[in-house]
Amino acid sequence: MTNTDSELVEKVGPAPSRLTSSISHIVTDLGKNGIFLALIAVVVLFSILTNGILLRPQNISNLIVQNGYILILAIGMVMVIVAGHIDLSVGSVAAFVGAVSGVLIRDAGMPWWAAILVSLLVGALVGAWQGFWIAYVGIPAFIVTLAGMLIFRGLALVVLGNTNIGSFPTEYRALGNGFLTDVFGEFPVDPLTMGVGIIAIVGFIVQQVRTRAGRAAYGQDVEPLGWFVGKLVILTLGVGAFAYALATFKGIPVTLIVLAVLVMVYGIVTNRSVFGRHIYAIGGNRHAAELSGVKTRQVDFFIFVNMGFLAALAGLVFTARLNLAGPKAGDGFELEAISAAFIGGAAVQGGVGTIGGAIIGGLIIGVLNNGMSILGIGIEWQQAVKGLVLLFAVAFDVFNKRRAGGR
Amino acid sequence: MTTNILEMRSITKTFPGVKALQDVTLEVARGEIHAICGENGAGKSTLMKVLSGVYPHGSYDGEIVFENEPVAFRDIRDSEAKGIVIIHQELALSPFLSIAENIFLNNEVKGRFGLIDWNRANSEAAKLLARVGLRENPTTKIMEIGVGKQQLVEIAKALSKRVKLLILDEPTAALNDDDSDHLLDLILHLKEQGITSIIISHKLNEIKKIADSVTVLRDGKTIETIAKSDVTEERIIKDMVGRDLEHRYPDHTPHIGEEILRVENWTAHHPQDPSRVMVDKVNLNVRRGEIVGIAGLMGAGRTEFAMSLFGKSYGSRISGKVFKNGKEIQTRSVSEAIGNGLAYATEDRKQYGLNLIEDIKRNISAASLDKLSRAGLVNDNEEYKVATEYRKSMNIKAPTVLAKTGKLSGGNQQKVVLSKWIYSDPDVLILDEPTRGIDVGAKYEIYTIINRLASEGKGIIVISSELPELLGICDRIYALSEGRITGELPIAEATPEAVLKLMTMESPR
């Protein structure tokens, strides 16, 4: 700490006072987390408009379950976008894989777990197919996935023979509909859910404290202690309230567990792994990445394999939730996932975007959908409003950058 | 006092936290060629943006008087309407459009019904091209002509707008000596036709050759304006850096060891047209502690050689052998080349060298993430530490390594590029135009770094368009012409004339 400070004095003149440095920390933090504040604003707005219905335990639980598959897609999509690509096919791929899983379980009589594994593999293969054309043949992702959108929608129809398949085993349906609850008997407030909530909070605090200690040990600038603790308190209260809401309803949705695992794993992949670094390097400057030894084609290829895998997972969750594999499933998913990534701060030119941002972007869309539905606003206006939100979110981002751009 | 075409008085321009210009005064006489010099970040470009209306009236303090009238430009169109045209360093031409289409872009030659009269446009364009001495068909696409000719198209475009004051920002930075000479002659020729020019340049010999007066900026302030008769390179440098630069090249005592890299019969063909030989049986070697220069005109195949060697990053049908410490090595991919101890810092750091939207830290680690990671996970604290060490040892001017590289000056960006490659711990560094677009002070620092690397026992290959630079820092120079090595001179025998002769030697075919 002292080291860096004395050096700054050398370089830029007198050290900023403690107060101004605290304020500047808070301001940059708020700037970085603007999207988070936007989510809170949307939640508050619709809580008021719906007289609190939005925040009822049942509705909060629904919010997660109804948007789970969009959030899963958004995780893969933000990586695709950071690398400078786009994927228009995820809705069709989700429908195709949902159809495959349905046929495997019902017609081929495969056990549910085997059907899930095979379906995920099929998704990865679909991703490999698209990744091959994009990475090794050099066809723009827009074209390849536009073609994929048609191809896999068509194949979904072929697999289903143009009808719906339904009535799946309970274990399979749990992926979209199930809850972890009542393991310790019936209580008004489910102890398991609260326990998991507390473990999540403690885990998060421990991780944050360790990160902070690690930075400080390396003499890096860390945020003021008060602000750090304040943020943790706010987060603890938020997660606690969320867990309580779930605990008074049906418990932890299985979809939420899937999502939590994905967010953690992909958070580490994008933030800390060499592969993740390579994605950002490619998105920021493909030539420079290549000349730094990044195997750009290989990275591109695996980004699409991963997207195929996640599209398959989203397809399974969706099919399980509806208990139905239909040819129209997943229609428009790609647009919601892309919107989520962009609302969450991903840059159209690539190189910028985070998993956390995409999740929050997806939640904003989810709250808008849910809130407007509660208010009885028709689908036509819902569409229009979501379109405007996407436009304004990106416009806001562009405006911010221009202002920060200066010279 | 009415002989001045332009007077900028007490211009002050502030950005959040930075005073980019402070009370700057610039007086340009009608019909002269006025040079503006200054280190990167001295405020030259900002001043020209104020003048041309990129920064509109009201966003700065001070007064601009053009042709004895106070002016207040809201945007570039306003200033162009008055006859002030700026040609930026990065040319603003559309590669897929023809010369004529580019010249009349947004200024189209209209015929009946407001439609474009292409016949007249092309013939007008041909007249303009004749004025700038460019023998090309107006219907040729921009991407089919070289940078030197594109520069001339820009000037033709300016002439089409009835330019009175032409501003050229580093016009010769990307040109070879022939094209530069032609361009400078053209500027002198335009002067005879009554066109006033402002030229921003780092090349002091050029300034000395054509400028009637020189204004030097430093840290956003006017230092002085020097009349032609008093212009010396020493005085300009002293004004620019605020101190005397005794030597432009640091002293360097070579400690040359055994051979570290040898390239045999290296050949590469054009990527799109494999029948064209771009690099033709190149043989060269580098020894430990040696700085070897590659001199050649633009298009001689210097970058093509380096990039084809560095992981086949350029070209097709590449053949030849590479030996390191006497053992043959392969460089089929960039990661293989890096693994075998090669490093290549590109000539175009913005396009090929840096991720401008990322911070210093991530750029420095970009080629060596393996060193910083375990089980595929990067230790970002260690990364920060390493980057901070380089920030200090390389004197990268930024408050922390979290600063975005896009916001740094050219010299500091180049130091980030060099840090990246030094951290990858290579045995041989190929530096392609290591000081292009960098101010005098930073150049000296870069030369010092190159010397230090050599004295650590690394082999260095420097590719440069600036002959004095090669003569100033190298121990041995290869000349390249039309893809072939035409000669090799130890520094003691390398006079400018001798090297130039080899550089321009046409090979018998």
Side-chain angles (χ1 to χ4, degrees):
Chain A
M1 268 295 296
T2 43
N3 229 338
T4 4
D5 279 350
S6 65
E7 226 191 84
L8 277 174
V9 175
E10 262 176 53
K11 296 262 187 266
V12 293
S17 78
R18 191 168 272 264
L19 178 69
T20 50
S21 106
S22 303
I23 290 174
S24 83
H25 250 294
I26 292 167
V27 169
T28 44
D29 251 21
L30 291 182
K32 267 190 212 157
N33 299 320
I35 185 66
F36 190 65
L37 296 180
L39 173 63
I40 291 174
V42 171
V43 168
V44 169
L45 176 70
F46 278 98
S47 308
I48 296 169
L49 289 178
T50 61
N51 292 323
I53 296 177
L54 186 87
L55 290 180
R56 280 192 192 157
Q58 179 182 353
N59 197 53
I60 287 184
S61 189
N62 278 347
L63 256 172
I64 299 298
V65 178
Q66 280 172 358
N67 291 293
Y69 37 89
I70 296 298
L71 298 180
I72 293 172
L73 290 174
I75 290 172
M77 191 63 77
V78 76
M79 293 163 78
V80 168
I81 289 173
V82 166
H85 302 294
I86 197 84
D87 192 337
L88 301 175
S89 70
V90 293
S92 296
V93 175
F96 171 61
V97 173
V100 168
S101 74
V103 169
L104 286 178
I105 291 177
R106 221 199 46 181
D107 298 349
M110 212 180 247
W112 62 272
W113 54 269
I116 288 177
L117 287 180
V118 171
S119 301
L120 292 175
L121 184 68
V122 168
L125 285 176
V126 166
W129 157 263
Q130 305 204 102
F132 164 75
W133 291 104
I134 294 162
Y136 294 104
V137 184
I139 298 174
F142 186 90
I143 303 296
V144 171
T145 60
L146 182 63
M149 188 177 177
L150 299 171
I151 294 169
F152 297 106
R153 179 65 62 191
L155 290 183
L157 286 166
V158 171
V159 169
L160 287 171
N162 217 357
T163 56
N164 294 330
I165 299 181
S167 305
F168 299 118
T170 327
E171 294 91 338
Y172 177 81
R173 275 160 52 200
L175 203 51
N177 266 335
F179 290 86
L180 276 192
T181 186
D182 298 344
V183 178
F184 303 116
E186 272 189 50
F187 293 92
V189 178
D190 182 46
L192 174 72
T193 309
M194 288 314 288
V196 170
I198 289 167
I199 291 171
I201 291 170
V202 172
F204 185 75
I205 291 178
V206 167
Q207 188 254 338
Q208 288 290 305
V209 169
R210 281 182 56 182
T211 306
R212 184 184 160 89
R215 288 210 179 138
Y218 273 87
Q220 295 180 41
D221 205 11
V222 289
E223 57 199 346
L225 190 64
W227 177 237
F228 176 72
V229 172
K231 275 205 297 195
L232 287 184
V233 168
I234 293 171
L235 245 135
T236 302
L237 291 177
V239 175
F242 179 64
Y244 180 79
L246 294 179
T248 53
F249 185 56
K250 286 190 191 166
I252 307 172
V254 175
T255 311
L256 179 62
I257 297 173
V258 171
L259 260 175
V261 170
L262 290 179
V263 167
M264 268 194 292
V265 170
Y266 283 96
I268 291 173
V269 167
T270 52
N271 255 332
R272 303 245 351 246
S273 78
V274 173
F275 180 71
R277 286 301 183 79
H278 285 173
I279 299 176
Y280 286 95
I282 289 175
N285 185 342
R286 182 168 290 267
H287 295 302
E290 234 158 61
L291 285 172
S292 299
V294 176
K295 292 177 175 131
T296 52
R297 291 176 177 203
Q298 203 176 315
V299 174
D300 281 338
F301 178 75
F302 281 109
I303 287 170
F304 278 93
V305 170
N306 178 60
M307 185 73 253
F309 167 78
L310 288 176
L313 186 55
L316 292 176
V317 169
F318 184 71
T319 310
R321 181 175 153 68
L322 293 191
N323 194 14
L324 188 81
K328 280 262 163 237
D331 204 18
F333 280 12
E334 61 281 344
L335 301 180
E336 300 230 330
I338 293 169
S339 300
F342 284 135
I343 291 175
V348 184
Q349 307 83 358
V352 179
T354 59
I355 301 287
I359 292 288
I360 292 176
L363 285 176
I364 289 179
I365 296 176
V367 172
L368 286 172
N369 278 337
N370 183 277
M372 287 192 288
S373 296
I374 295 172
L375 290 175
I377 294 172
I379 194 84
E380 66 281 7
W381 281 109
Q382 291 194 22
Q383 292 269 11
V385 168
K386 280 189 284 179
L388 284 174
V389 168
L390 170 64
L391 184 64
F392 289 144
V394 176
F396 179 74
D397 198 44
V398 168
F399 172 75
N400 248 351
K401 270 190 205 125
R402 204 170 288 163
R403 221 181 34 173
R407 279 186 271 194
Chain B
M1 274 283 102
T2 51
T3 55
N4 285 344
I5 186 169
L6 172 74
E7 289 181 18
M8 298 179 81
R9 295 177 191 147
S10 302
I11 304 288
T12 298
K13 167 82 188 162
T14 323
F15 294 107
V18 197
K19 231 174 196 168
L21 296 175
Q22 207 176 336
D23 208 12
V24 169
T25 297
L26 177 69
E27 293 183 0
V28 179
R30 187 179 295 277
E32 74 163 343
I33 297 174
H34 194 107
I36 298 181
C37 294
E39 293 197 309
N40 284 344
K44 298 162 300 188
S45 296
T46 311
L47 186 66
M48 290 305 110
K49 283 180 182 171
V50 167
L51 172 57
S52 57
V54 173
Y55 299 133
H57 181 73
S59 71
Y60 57 87
D61 294 327
E63 193 186 9
I64 303 177
V65 178
F66 186 67
E67 298 203 292
N68 300 322
E69 260 176 54
V71 287
F73 301 132
R74 280 161 302 169
D75 54 28
I76 286 203
R77 295 193 71 120
D78 273 4
S79 62
E80 286 189 348
K82 292 271 183 190
I84 300 175
V85 179
I86 182 161
I87 297 179
H88 291 282
Q89 196 175 349
E90 283 94 17
L91 300 180
L93 297 171
S94 174
F96 302 110
L97 298 184
S98 74
I99 293 177
E101 282 171 309
N102 268 289
I103 289 178
F104 294 112
L105 193 64
N106 212 1
N107 186 20
E108 284 79 4
V109 182
K110 302 265 173 63
R112 277 199 297 176
F113 311 120
L115 297 175
I116 297 175
D117 183 344
W118 282 116
N119 289 332
R120 202 153 66 82
N122 285 333
S123 78
E124 295 274 326
K127 281 182 212 158
L128 291 166
L129 292 182
R131 268 180 84 187
V132 299
L134 178 58
R135 263 179 253 140
E136 285 286 345
N137 193 320
T139 57
T140 307
K141 299 241 185 307
I142 287 296
M143 59 185 183
E144 290 164 15
I145 62 177
V147 187
K149 290 179 175 174
Q150 291 179 8
Q151 188 74 259
L152 297 179
V153 172
E154 280 275 20
I155 293 177
K157 186 175 171 182
L159 293 177
S160 79
K161 293 174 185 162
R162 297 177 202 291
V163 60
K164 290 175 189 159
L165 176 62
L166 182 65
I167 304 164
L168 300 123
D169 190 355
E170 303 251 6
T172 61
L175 303 189
N176 63 29
D177 288 350
D178 274 355
D179 284 346
S180 295
D181 284 346
H182 184 88
L183 185 74
L184 297 178
D185 285 344
L186 176 62
I187 296 169
L188 286 170
H189 186 64
L190 293 176
K191 176 183 159 186
E192 286 166 21
Q193 299 175 18
I195 293 173
T196 313
S197 298
I198 294 178
I199 174 167
I200 296 176
S201 179
H202 281 303
K203 299 188 179 170
L204 302 183
N205 54 343
E206 277 175 20
I207 291 172
K208 206 162 172 284
K209 187 169 151 198
I210 66 164
D212 297 305
S213 50
V214 180
T215 296
V216 183
L217 297 183
R218 185 173 78 230
D219 300 331
K221 294 176 195 146
T222 313
I223 301 304
E224 63 169 338
T225 296
I226 316 169
K228 186 178 182 82
S229 50
D230 298 329
V231 169
T232 60
E233 291 193 20
E234 288 69 29
R235 182 161 171 186
I236 295 175
I237 291 171
K238 192 180 158 198
D239 282 347
M240 278 168 64
V241 299
R243 65 194 146 92
D244 281 299
L245 264 189
E246 270 284 279
H247 307 287
R248 246 184 283 174
Y249 304 101
D251 287 329
H252 158 60
T253 324
H255 298 282
I256 296 173
E258 70 275 31
E259 178 186 272
I260 188 163
L261 186 83
R262 186 168 81 247
V263 179
E264 286 183 358
N265 290 320
W266 197 259
T267 303
H269 297 252
H270 194 275
Q272 274 86 45
D273 177 6
S275 64
R276 275 172 70 192
V277 182
M278 303 306 289
V279 180
D280 195 0
K281 297 195 194 73
V282 165
N283 287 292
L284 57 75
N285 72 342
V286 190
R287 289 170 290 175
R288 279 184 190 284
E290 188 179 34
I291 305 174
V292 172
I294 297 183
L297 299 171
M298 276 246 168
R302 305 166 306 182
T303 299
E304 289 80 357
F305 164 70
M307 285 187 61
S308 60
L309 185 66
F310 191 64
K312 304 201 168 172
S313 303
Y314 168 89
S316 60
R317 288 173 57 198
I318 298 165
S319 61
K321 286 183 175 169
V322 191
F323 299 87
K324 202 180 89 180
N325 296 325
K327 262 191 261 168
E328 184 168 4
I329 57 165
Q330 299 294 332
T331 61
R332 286 165 299 202
S333 69
V334 173
S335 48
E336 194 175 32
I338 294 172
N340 279 321
L342 294 190
Y344 170 65
T346 73
E347 62 175 331
D348 187 339
R349 55 185 170 267
K350 287 187 180 171
Q351 288 285 327
Y352 296 104
L354 290 172
N355 182 348
L356 296 170
I357 60 175
E358 282 287 11
D359 55 25
I360 294 173
K361 172 171 68 96
R362 287 194 171 196
N363 273 287
I364 290 180
S365 66
S368 329
L369 279 176
D370 288 345
K371 277 193 201 178
L372 289 166
S373 55
R374 249 193 0 212
L377 293 184
V378 182
N379 181 343
D380 40 3
N381 285 327
E382 196 63 35
E383 183 184 34
Y384 185 97
K385 187 177 136 196
V386 166
T388 303
E389 280 163 13
Y390 277 99
R391 195 199 85 207
K392 288 177 194 164
S393 68
M394 303 286 278
N395 194 21
I396 298 168
K397 290 186 188 97
T400 76
V401 293
L402 301 179
K404 302 266 184 270
T405 51
K407 303 239 167 190
L408 302 178
S409 71
N412 284 310
Q413 286 181 344
Q414 187 67 4
K415 288 182 203 163
V416 174
V417 172
L418 289 178
S419 302
K420 166 167 103 177
W421 290 116
I422 295 170
Y423 181 53
S424 79
D425 195 23
D427 301 309
V428 179
L429 279 103
I430 307 171
L431 308 176
D432 198 347
E433 301 282 4
T435 64
R436 169 176 291 174
I438 290 181
D439 55 67
V440 179
K443 274 185 182 179
Y444 191 88
E445 286 184 79
I446 301 279
Y447 299 141
T448 310
I449 293 164
I450 293 174
N451 282 346
R452 195 183 77 210
L453 292 169
S455 63
E456 287 167 7
K458 300 188 190 302
I460 316 275
I461 298 175
V462 178
I463 297 171
S464 176
S465 297
E466 287 182 46
L467 198 46
E469 173 172 283
L470 290 178
L471 298 174
I473 63 171
C474 292
D475 302 315
R476 191 156 55 96
I477 293 176
Y478 287 101
L480 197 64
S481 173
E482 296 178 352
R484 288 163 179 246
I485 297 281
T486 48
E488 174 191 349
L489 295 169
I491 196 64
E493 295 167 28
T495 60
E497 295 75 20
V499 181
L500 260 171
K501 197 174 153 203
L502 290 172
M503 278 163 62
T504 50
M505 189 184 283
E506 284 179 29
S507 43
R509 298 238 163 177

